[in-house]
Amino acid sequence: MEIAVAAPIDQTLTYRLPVKISANPDGDGTISLIGRRVLVPLGGRKVTGYVLAEDVVASGEFKIRDIAEVLDVKPVFPCSLIALFRWISNYYHYPIGEVIRAALPAGMSPRSVRCLELVDSAREDERFLSLPDEKWRITLQEKGSLSAAATKELLASKVWKKTIQQFIKLGVLRLCESVTSDGVKEKMEVCYRLQHWLPQPSVDLPDESEIFQHYRRQLDAELGLELKLSEAKTLYYMKGLEEKSVDGTSPRKELLELYAGAAKGICDLKEKRLVTEQKKRVFRSPLGERLEFFPAPTELTDEQNVALAEIVPAIEQGGYTPFLLHGVTGSGKTEVYLQATAAALRQGKSVLVIVPEIALATQLEAHFVSRFGEQVVLLHSGLSASERFDQWSLAMSGEAKIVIGARSAIFAPLNDLGLIVVDEEHDAGLKQDDSLRYNGRDLAVVRAKQQGIVVLLASATPSVVSYHNALCGKYRLLTMDNRVGNRSLPKVTLIDLRKQQSSGKRSLFRPQLRKALEENFIAGRQSVILINRRGFSSNVLCQECGTPVQCRDCHVTLTLHRSTQQLLCHYCGYSVHEKTVCESCGSMQLVPVGFGTERVETELQEMLPLARVARLDTDTAKDRKAFLQTLKLMRGGEIDILVGTQMVAKGHHFPGVTLVGVVWADGGLAIPDYRAAEKTFQLITQVTGRAGRGDSPGEVYIQTMRPEHYAISLARTHSYRHLVEKELELRKNPAFPPFVRLVAIHIQGESEQDVERSASRIAAACRAAVKEKKSFVEILGPAPSPIDRVKKNYRWQVMIKAASIEILDALCSYVRQNQQELVSGRCKVMLDKDPENMM
Ligand code: ADP
Ligand code: ZN
Ligand code: ZN
């Protein structure tokens, strides 16, 4: 057997299944062990291993050791994922067993359990009934099954083991196996269903009690039902819940919340056979509320039709086909995902939908559940361990055909995939930034290629790299340039912050934006205020012309290090004294910059004391529920002004928002990242896209010190393609992706000296190793990371740029293999391929 062990070992290992262990303890015929977990000896201990292949001939002289135990009765991941695990291990230079461990739902140990059941047809079996009145027998008789724990105990007992086995042979009892984990809760809820067509109650009566009396009379007149008032009232509320529901049922919880007397009413109605009871999965948001229902649109837009005319046949034909859907904000991308999903389901295939953020997953979930009901599951880290395992099992067993989730859902154990959708494909949230540093979008493409299926990457602002792939013909480009329903993209006005403020109190809001906010509030409409806080106070800006101080050799901003009074480049280590002059205008008026969301919130509240203001940023988002609650209030129009960081910009659909303001747009231009301009453009375009999604048109005000900067002026005119052209031109020299590949080597440890020494040694070793290389490769650094100390750990980095991925991989392998010699003390070395976060 080829086994990946959950330990930091690069290779898979070979073990043998000893004859005394049966791979399939209870059945006949052999089932494959692939995809199951086993316990294997490693060194002096036993560790979990994952079976990747069965027929392997071990090379070398090693003595092959025996598998100690088979942990699962069924696979916990499908065979089709094994190729992906191997690819990830190779590409990200990460031990394969740890890749699998990271891919499986965290925080729980999935294992199979066996439960003893009484076969239905044998309920009256005399031999069974004549057994002594033991607790287990009574439970079996009453409930039909035993718990896993009770089953285990019984099968281990000397007294009953034989008897049980006999009854299994006789077909009276049977052992049922299922993958489960301890503490997994039933997700079923009691729901009621109307058994009779009921007329629509009239609601335009002045008095509430009159409404119910009226409905009671109406039911009597139209259907001849003689009902008590409590019954009529219950039916009235059920009718209302039925309307809003995906499947026409009323969950008991909601019904009782509306009308406590329904408990009694239901009993009576059940007796009269007007209502039936059933247990069902009820789809709830993380807030415990039932998901909103979204009806399908009556017809598609022309652009949706054009896009789908390419996607649907590709799904039907099968085969690897990558699409990049560039659709402006509000162009109706969600509907394209839904239609493409329907096409895949028609082929009997399953569908995976990846989003960068849980809030977006829940928003999409409502749309998918409305269309596809029970076939949808949500997988993300916000779920409890047992919920997550539940969802995983549903996907694994094929009961769920559609999985929606954050980046880790790329490992969803779906068989027979037909389509992978990646929403907001440009978003940094798709990249995992610790341990196994993978990008969910990139893995989606790899998985699609391996399984020969369609992958649909979509965004209003695709990443420059993805768009370049489309331009080169690697992806098929689909474009939707217009908003649904002839809505226009909002009008964007730039406000130049360099123009002196007129006398009076200094404000974060210039008069134009102030006035717009006041008017919008008075008109009863909603506003969103964005503060691009990235790069907070660590950059230095010229007060005269707004240009941040940049590195001589890289297109990145220098970072202020107060302790050393230096401005430092975090790509190459170049530095100047903090008292320097502005390169573009010669001024010496350089100021550190930054201000927070809280200050903006306070100022807004002072400005409009009656407005309901709420804030969304990393501080307030720590409480997941509060975060989702704020989004919900915003959608429901119960917040007038929402203030926040980039979080407010992401894909939310707030139909009531007509005004968007950006307090200071250039903050993001000053971060030490070659994608600073791209990210600024994306952020402004995304936040701009929050305006005017409903019936009223939107307007946007952007305060900036650099109105002429291309990232900002192109965002004003919604000129995405120009931005790509400009970026591609700039990234040729100095070279950055897509023209080269990057890997960041992070070195961290508690001793600054050790970290610096290790970083230097790694950089020097890499330089020596590439001396002879003909193709382009460049080693940058060593340099301290922009955030150079985290949790008592000093952080340095070495960045490698190379035109060929082979060279990059060779260097990564070289560093890992020689880690012992290269690293001093107890420093840790981490490789980050295609790094997203430059901090
Ligand atoms: P995007 O994700 O591209 O920003 P959405 O998918 O959120 O846009 O769609 C914007 C709005 O348009 C949503 O309210 C959606 O229900 C609506 N919509 C989408 N397609 C259609 C259509 N064909 N007809 C009518 N409304 C549509
Ligand atoms: Zn200047
Ligand atoms: Zn530099």
Side-chain angles (χ1 to χ4, degrees), residues 197-210:
W197 175 86
L198 296 181
Q200 212 42 261
S202 45
V203 287
D204 47 357
L205 296 167
D207 185 5
E208 209 187 30
S209 64
E210 193 46 34

Side-chain angles (χ1 to χ4, degrees), residues 294-295 297-301 304 327-335 337 363 367 423-424 480 484-485 487 651 653 690 693:
F294 292 96
T298 43
E299 59 183 30
L300 298 181
T301 66
Q304 283 169 336
V328 299
T329 54
S331 57
K333 293 185 286 296
T334 313
E335 189 57 35
Y337 312 158
Q363 191 178 311
H367 284 276
D423 190 25
E424 310 287 344
M480 302 204 299
V484 172
R487 291 186 187 114
H653 187 65
R690 293 321 106 210
R693 296 173 71 91

Side-chain angles (χ1 to χ4, degrees), residues 729-753:
E729 198 48 49
L730 283 173
R731 293 189 196 178
K732 283 185 182 137
N733 187 23
F736 276 112
F739 303 110
V740 285
R741 305 294 290 264
L742 292 182
V743 61
I745 305 176
H746 298 281
I747 302 99
Q748 67 180 51
E750 289 194 12
S751 148
E752 189 169 18
Q753 222 180 15

Side-chain angles (χ1 to χ4, degrees), residues 437-684:
R437 293 157 190 258
Y438 64 92
N439 186 315
R441 181 221 26 232
D442 298 343
L443 292 188
V445 174
V446 173
R447 192 168 174 184
K449 200 176 208 165
Q450 288 180 342
Q451 305 195 354
I453 59 168
V454 173
V455 58
L456 174 62
L457 311 179
S459 171
T461 52
S463 64
V464 168
V465 174
S466 290
Y467 205 82
H468 181 255
N469 282 337
L471 293 176
C472 298
K474 263 171 120 183
Y475 300 159
R476 279 165 66 179
L477 185 63
L478 305 167
T479 307
M480 302 204 299
D481 279 330
N482 299 293
R483 280 188 161 181
V484 172
N486 289 326
R487 291 186 187 114
S488 51
L489 282 168
K491 177 171 170 292
V492 183
T493 309
L494 299 184
I495 302 174
D496 191 343
L497 285 173
R498 290 167 306 184
K499 301 228 170 77
Q500 287 301 318
Q501 289 204 50
S502 53
S503 57
K505 189 167 167 275
R506 281 194 152 245
S507 164
L508 290 172
F509 300 96
R510 291 298 167 97
Q512 231 177 330
L513 177 53
R514 239 186 131 86
K515 187 158 158 275
L517 271 168
E518 281 163 7
E519 285 174 1
N520 206 50
F521 172 62
I522 290 165
R525 294 199 280 255
Q526 292 176 292
S527 309
V528 166
I529 297 291
L530 172 82
I531 303 132
N532 186 358
R533 205 174 46 169
R534 305 183 60 166
F536 177 61
S537 81
S538 58
N539 324 107
V540 176
L541 220 62
C542 169
Q543 214 170 12
E544 310 266 304
C545 75
T547 313
V549 181
Q550 288 211 326
C551 174
R552 189 188 47 185
D553 302 321
C554 314
H555 270 137
V556 296
T557 313
L558 298 185
T559 304
L560 175 62
H561 285 247
R562 281 257 157 80
S563 53
T564 54
Q565 298 184 309
Q566 270 185 327
L567 294 170
L568 200 58
C569 173
H570 289 288
Y571 278 78
C572 69
Y574 168 81
S575 73
V576 291
H577 192 268
E578 67 170 337
K579 296 256 171 337
T580 182
V581 292
C582 171
E583 256 188 76
S584 58
C585 78
S587 162
M588 291 191 56
Q589 299 296 315
L590 301 176
V591 286
V593 283
F595 49 81
T597 39
E598 272 175 68
R599 193 175 138 203
V600 175
E601 189 188 11
T602 314
E603 199 173 316
L604 271 172
Q605 203 68 80
E606 282 167 13
M607 194 165 102
L608 295 166
L610 294 178
R612 293 163 297 178
V613 180
R615 176 162 62 93
L616 271 192
D617 54 23
T618 32
D619 299 334
T620 60
K622 275 194 198 110
D623 180 349
R624 203 76 234 166
K625 283 212 164 147
F627 171 70
L628 293 169
Q629 182 68 20
T630 306
L631 290 178
K632 184 183 156 235
L633 290 175
M634 188 65 191
R635 265 197 294 277
E638 291 171 65
I639 290 170
D640 297 310
I641 306 175
L642 182 64
V643 181
T645 53
Q646 40 270 17
M647 262 175 232
V648 300
K650 291 187 181 183
H652 308 294
H653 187 65
F654 304 133
V657 172
T658 51
L659 176 70
V660 165
V662 181
V663 177
W664 179 52
D666 4 345
L669 290 174
I671 59 169
D673 186 334
Y674 69 93
R675 284 157 307 188
E678 174 184 357
K679 288 184 170 174
T680 299
F681 177 91
Q682 284 164 342
L683 181 64
I684 296 177

